[in-house]
Amino acid sequence: ELEAREWLSRVQAEVLNQIEWYRIVGELEGCKKDLNTAAITTKSSELTETFVTTAYRQRFQEEARKLGLTTLDVVVDAIQGKKGVTHFGLRLSKAANGKVAEIASEGEHRCVALAAFLADLSQSSHQSALVFDDPVSSLDHWHRQKIADRLVEEARNRQVIVFTHEAPFLT
């Protein structure tokens, strides 16, 4: 026992340094757990789903209806969350794996994009001017009228500038 005490007195500083080292490593491991973003991503996804997505989804459906998008049933869904950011995408409601980009015509693409833009715009607080470059190309007369009506409605709240070579659209 005396030899053990004598040996310990010679290496006591090294043992105490090693104990301190393990304490620091333990604290750092605890910090690594605190830095895991999965909990943040989960909470962000929940809050986004509750407060943003529901309102945005409803507004997107309303905009799609106003633009006469009746041939496709497109919905907005959360795709994934990563590092605190939730990403959303458009999908066909009755085709789980069907992609809008693969099925929709060019005119339908334009209507979906415009509905998404206007839905997003409704969530913002600014009233900036909007500039559209030929928003009705690739559309039939019925959809042109729907888009014209919607842009006139939007012009009640903000300045809307439309560049087009479509003479019927001007009327």
Side-chain angles (χ1 to χ4, degrees), residues 71-103:
T71 55
L72 294 176
D73 190 13
V74 179
V75 294
V76 178
D77 273 339
I79 298 174
Q80 66 184 36
K82 184 176 182 182
K83 299 209 181 279
V85 177
T86 304
H87 298 277
F88 296 91
L90 299 170
R91 71 171 181 82
L92 298 171
S93 67
K94 295 182 176 141
N97 295 329
K99 295 182 179 165
V100 176
E102 295 172 352
I103 295 173

CSV table of all heavy atoms in Angstrom, one decimal, residues 71-103:
chain,number,residue,atom,x,y,z
A,71,THR,N,-58.2,21.4,-64.7
A,71,THR,CA,-57.8,20.2,-65.3
A,71,THR,C,-56.9,19.4,-64.5
A,71,THR,O,-56.8,18.1,-64.6
A,71,THR,CB,-57.2,20.4,-66.7
A,71,THR,OG1,-56.1,21.3,-66.5
A,71,THR,CG2,-58.2,21.0,-67.7
A,72,LEU,N,-56.2,20.0,-63.6
A,72,LEU,CA,-55.2,19.4,-62.7
A,72,LEU,C,-55.6,19.7,-61.2
A,72,LEU,O,-56.0,20.8,-60.9
A,72,LEU,CB,-53.8,19.9,-62.9
A,72,LEU,CG,-53.1,19.6,-64.2
A,72,LEU,CD1,-51.8,20.2,-64.2
A,72,LEU,CD2,-52.9,18.1,-64.4
A,73,ASP,N,-55.5,18.6,-60.4
A,73,ASP,CA,-55.8,18.9,-58.9
A,73,ASP,C,-54.4,18.9,-58.3
A,73,ASP,O,-53.9,17.8,-57.9
A,73,ASP,CB,-56.7,17.8,-58.4
A,73,ASP,CG,-57.1,18.1,-57.0
A,73,ASP,OD1,-57.0,19.2,-56.5
A,73,ASP,OD2,-57.6,17.2,-56.3
A,74,VAL,N,-53.8,20.0,-58.2
A,74,VAL,CA,-52.5,20.2,-57.6
A,74,VAL,C,-52.6,20.7,-56.2
A,74,VAL,O,-53.4,21.5,-55.8
A,74,VAL,CB,-51.7,21.3,-58.5
A,74,VAL,CG1,-50.3,21.5,-57.9
A,74,VAL,CG2,-51.6,20.8,-59.9
A,75,VAL,N,-51.7,20.1,-55.3
A,75,VAL,CA,-51.7,20.4,-53.9
A,75,VAL,C,-50.2,20.8,-53.5
A,75,VAL,O,-49.3,20.3,-54.2
A,75,VAL,CB,-52.2,19.3,-53.0
A,75,VAL,CG1,-53.7,19.1,-53.2
A,75,VAL,CG2,-51.5,18.0,-53.2
A,76,VAL,N,-50.1,21.6,-52.5
A,76,VAL,CA,-48.8,21.9,-51.9
A,76,VAL,C,-48.5,21.0,-50.7
A,76,VAL,O,-49.4,20.9,-49.9
A,76,VAL,CB,-48.8,23.4,-51.5
A,76,VAL,CG1,-47.4,23.8,-50.9
A,76,VAL,CG2,-49.1,24.3,-52.6
A,77,ASP,N,-47.4,20.4,-50.7
A,77,ASP,CA,-47.0,19.5,-49.6
A,77,ASP,C,-45.6,19.7,-49.2
A,77,ASP,O,-44.8,20.1,-50.0
A,77,ASP,CB,-47.1,18.0,-50.1
A,77,ASP,CG,-48.5,17.4,-49.9
A,77,ASP,OD1,-49.3,17.9,-49.1
A,77,ASP,OD2,-48.7,16.4,-50.6
A,78,ALA,N,-45.4,19.5,-47.9
A,78,ALA,CA,-44.0,19.6,-47.4
A,78,ALA,C,-43.2,18.4,-47.9
A,78,ALA,O,-43.7,17.3,-47.9
A,78,ALA,CB,-44.0,19.5,-45.8
A,79,ILE,N,-42.1,18.7,-48.4
A,79,ILE,CA,-41.2,17.6,-49.0
A,79,ILE,C,-40.3,17.1,-47.9
A,79,ILE,O,-40.2,15.9,-47.7
A,79,ILE,CB,-40.4,18.1,-50.2
A,79,ILE,CG1,-41.4,18.6,-51.3
A,79,ILE,CG2,-39.5,17.1,-50.7
A,79,ILE,CD1,-40.7,19.2,-52.5
A,80,GLN,N,-39.5,17.9,-47.3
A,80,GLN,CA,-38.6,17.5,-46.3
A,80,GLN,C,-38.2,18.7,-45.5
A,80,GLN,O,-38.4,19.8,-45.8
A,80,GLN,CB,-37.3,16.9,-47.0
A,80,GLN,CG,-36.5,17.9,-47.8
A,80,GLN,CD,-35.4,17.3,-48.5
A,80,GLN,OE1,-35.5,16.2,-49.0
A,80,GLN,NE2,-34.3,18.1,-48.6
A,81,GLY,N,-37.5,18.4,-44.3
A,81,GLY,CA,-36.9,19.4,-43.5
A,81,GLY,C,-35.4,19.1,-43.4
A,81,GLY,O,-35.1,18.0,-43.2
A,82,LYS,N,-34.6,20.2,-43.4
A,82,LYS,CA,-33.2,20.0,-43.3
A,82,LYS,C,-32.6,21.2,-42.7
A,82,LYS,O,-32.8,22.3,-43.2
A,82,LYS,CB,-32.6,19.7,-44.6
A,82,LYS,CG,-31.1,19.4,-44.6
A,82,LYS,CD,-30.6,19.0,-46.0
A,82,LYS,CE,-29.1,18.6,-45.9
A,82,LYS,NZ,-28.6,18.3,-47.2
A,83,LYS,N,-31.9,21.0,-41.6
A,83,LYS,CA,-31.2,22.1,-40.9
A,83,LYS,C,-32.2,23.3,-40.6
A,83,LYS,O,-31.8,24.4,-40.8
A,83,LYS,CB,-30.0,22.5,-41.6
A,83,LYS,CG,-29.0,21.4,-41.8
A,83,LYS,CD,-27.6,22.0,-41.9
A,83,LYS,CE,-26.6,20.9,-42.1
A,83,LYS,NZ,-26.2,20.2,-40.9
A,84,GLY,N,-33.4,23.0,-40.1
A,84,GLY,CA,-34.3,24.0,-39.7
A,84,GLY,C,-35.1,24.6,-40.8
A,84,GLY,O,-35.9,25.5,-40.5
A,85,VAL,N,-35.0,24.1,-42.0
A,85,VAL,CA,-35.7,24.7,-43.1
A,85,VAL,C,-36.6,23.6,-43.7
A,85,VAL,O,-36.2,22.5,-44.0
A,85,VAL,CB,-34.8,25.2,-44.2
A,85,VAL,CG1,-35.5,25.8,-45.4
A,85,VAL,CG2,-33.9,26.3,-43.6
A,86,THR,N,-37.9,23.9,-43.9
A,86,THR,CA,-38.8,23.0,-44.5
A,86,THR,C,-39.0,23.4,-46.0
A,86,THR,O,-39.2,24.5,-46.3
A,86,THR,CB,-40.2,23.1,-43.8
A,86,THR,OG1,-40.0,22.8,-42.4
A,86,THR,CG2,-41.1,22.0,-44.3
A,87,HIS,N,-38.9,22.4,-46.8
A,87,HIS,CA,-39.1,22.6,-48.3
A,87,HIS,C,-40.5,22.1,-48.7
A,87,HIS,O,-40.9,21.1,-48.1
A,87,HIS,CB,-38.0,21.9,-49.1
A,87,HIS,CG,-36.6,22.4,-48.7
A,87,HIS,ND1,-36.1,23.6,-49.3
A,87,HIS,CD2,-35.7,22.0,-47.9
A,87,HIS,CE1,-34.9,23.8,-48.8
A,87,HIS,NE2,-34.6,22.9,-47.9
A,88,PHE,N,-41.1,22.8,-49.6
A,88,PHE,CA,-42.4,22.4,-50.1
A,88,PHE,C,-42.3,22.1,-51.6
A,88,PHE,O,-41.5,22.6,-52.3
A,88,PHE,CB,-43.4,23.5,-49.8
A,88,PHE,CG,-43.6,23.7,-48.4
A,88,PHE,CD1,-42.8,24.6,-47.7
A,88,PHE,CD2,-44.5,23.0,-47.7
A,88,PHE,CE1,-43.0,24.8,-46.3
A,88,PHE,CE2,-44.7,23.2,-46.3
A,88,PHE,CZ,-43.9,24.1,-45.6
A,89,GLY,N,-43.3,21.4,-52.1
A,89,GLY,CA,-43.4,21.1,-53.5
A,89,GLY,C,-44.8,20.9,-53.9
A,89,GLY,O,-45.7,20.8,-53.1
A,90,LEU,N,-45.0,20.9,-55.2
A,90,LEU,CA,-46.4,20.7,-55.8
A,90,LEU,C,-46.5,19.3,-56.2
A,90,LEU,O,-45.5,18.7,-56.8
A,90,LEU,CB,-46.6,21.7,-57.0
A,90,LEU,CG,-46.5,23.1,-56.6
A,90,LEU,CD1,-46.5,24.0,-57.9
A,90,LEU,CD2,-47.7,23.6,-55.8
A,91,ARG,N,-47.6,18.7,-56.0
A,91,ARG,CA,-47.8,17.3,-56.5
A,91,ARG,C,-49.3,17.2,-56.9
A,91,ARG,O,-50.2,18.0,-56.5
A,91,ARG,CB,-47.5,16.3,-55.5
A,91,ARG,CG,-48.4,16.2,-54.3
A,91,ARG,CD,-48.1,15.0,-53.4
A,91,ARG,NE,-49.0,14.9,-52.3
A,91,ARG,CZ,-50.2,14.4,-52.4
A,91,ARG,NH1,-50.7,13.9,-53.5
A,91,ARG,NH2,-51.0,14.4,-51.3
A,92,LEU,N,-49.6,16.2,-57.7
A,92,LEU,CA,-50.9,15.9,-58.1
A,92,LEU,C,-51.6,15.2,-57.0
A,92,LEU,O,-51.0,14.2,-56.5
A,92,LEU,CB,-50.9,15.1,-59.4
A,92,LEU,CG,-50.3,15.8,-60.6
A,92,LEU,CD1,-50.2,14.8,-61.8
A,92,LEU,CD2,-51.1,17.0,-61.0
A,93,SER,N,-52.8,15.6,-56.6
A,93,SER,CA,-53.4,15.0,-55.4
A,93,SER,C,-53.8,13.5,-55.6
A,93,SER,O,-53.8,12.8,-54.7
A,93,SER,CB,-54.6,15.8,-54.9
A,93,SER,OG,-55.6,15.7,-55.9
A,94,LYS,N,-54.1,13.2,-56.8
A,94,LYS,CA,-54.6,11.8,-57.0
A,94,LYS,C,-53.5,10.9,-57.6
A,94,LYS,O,-53.8,9.7,-57.9
A,94,LYS,CB,-55.8,11.8,-57.9
A,94,LYS,CG,-57.0,12.5,-57.3
A,94,LYS,CD,-58.2,12.6,-58.1
A,94,LYS,CE,-59.3,13.2,-57.3
A,94,LYS,NZ,-60.1,14.1,-58.0
A,95,ALA,N,-52.3,11.4,-57.8
A,95,ALA,CA,-51.2,10.6,-58.3
A,95,ALA,C,-50.0,10.8,-57.4
A,95,ALA,O,-49.3,11.7,-57.5
A,95,ALA,CB,-50.9,11.0,-59.7
A,96,ALA,N,-49.9,9.8,-56.4
A,96,ALA,CA,-48.8,10.0,-55.4
A,96,ALA,C,-47.4,10.2,-56.0
A,96,ALA,O,-46.7,11.0,-55.5
A,96,ALA,CB,-48.8,8.8,-54.5
A,97,ASN,N,-47.1,9.5,-57.1
A,97,ASN,CA,-45.8,9.6,-57.6
A,97,ASN,C,-45.8,10.5,-58.9
A,97,ASN,O,-44.7,10.7,-59.5
A,97,ASN,CB,-45.2,8.2,-57.9
A,97,ASN,CG,-45.0,7.5,-56.7
A,97,ASN,OD1,-44.7,8.0,-55.6
A,97,ASN,ND2,-45.1,6.1,-56.7
A,98,GLY,N,-46.9,10.9,-59.3
A,98,GLY,CA,-47.0,11.7,-60.5
A,98,GLY,C,-46.5,13.1,-60.3
A,98,GLY,O,-46.8,13.8,-59.3
A,99,LYS,N,-45.6,13.6,-61.2
A,99,LYS,CA,-45.0,14.9,-61.0
A,99,LYS,C,-45.7,15.9,-62.0
A,99,LYS,O,-46.0,15.5,-63.1
A,99,LYS,CB,-43.5,14.8,-61.4
A,99,LYS,CG,-42.7,14.0,-60.4
A,99,LYS,CD,-41.3,14.0,-60.7
A,99,LYS,CE,-40.6,13.2,-59.7
A,99,LYS,NZ,-39.2,12.8,-60.0
A,100,VAL,N,-46.0,17.0,-61.4
A,100,VAL,CA,-46.7,18.1,-62.2
A,100,VAL,C,-45.9,18.4,-63.5
A,100,VAL,O,-46.5,18.5,-64.5
A,100,VAL,CB,-46.9,19.3,-61.3
A,100,VAL,CG1,-47.5,20.4,-62.1
A,100,VAL,CG2,-47.7,19.0,-60.1
A,101,ALA,N,-44.6,18.4,-63.3
A,101,ALA,CA,-43.8,18.8,-64.5
A,101,ALA,C,-43.9,17.8,-65.6
A,101,ALA,O,-43.7,18.1,-66.8
A,101,ALA,CB,-42.3,18.9,-64.0
A,102,GLU,N,-44.2,16.5,-65.3
A,102,GLU,CA,-44.2,15.5,-66.3
A,102,GLU,C,-45.6,15.4,-67.0
A,102,GLU,O,-45.7,14.8,-68.0
A,102,GLU,CB,-43.8,14.1,-65.7
A,102,GLU,CG,-42.4,14.1,-65.2
A,102,GLU,CD,-42.1,12.8,-64.5
A,102,GLU,OE1,-43.0,12.0,-64.1
A,102,GLU,OE2,-40.9,12.6,-64.1
A,103,ILE,N,-46.6,15.9,-66.3
A,103,ILE,CA,-48.0,15.6,-66.8
A,103,ILE,C,-48.7,16.9,-67.3
A,103,ILE,O,-49.4,16.9,-68.3
A,103,ILE,CB,-48.9,15.0,-65.6
A,103,ILE,CG1,-48.3,13.7,-65.3
A,103,ILE,CG2,-50.3,15.0,-66.0
A,103,ILE,CD1,-48.9,13.0,-64.1
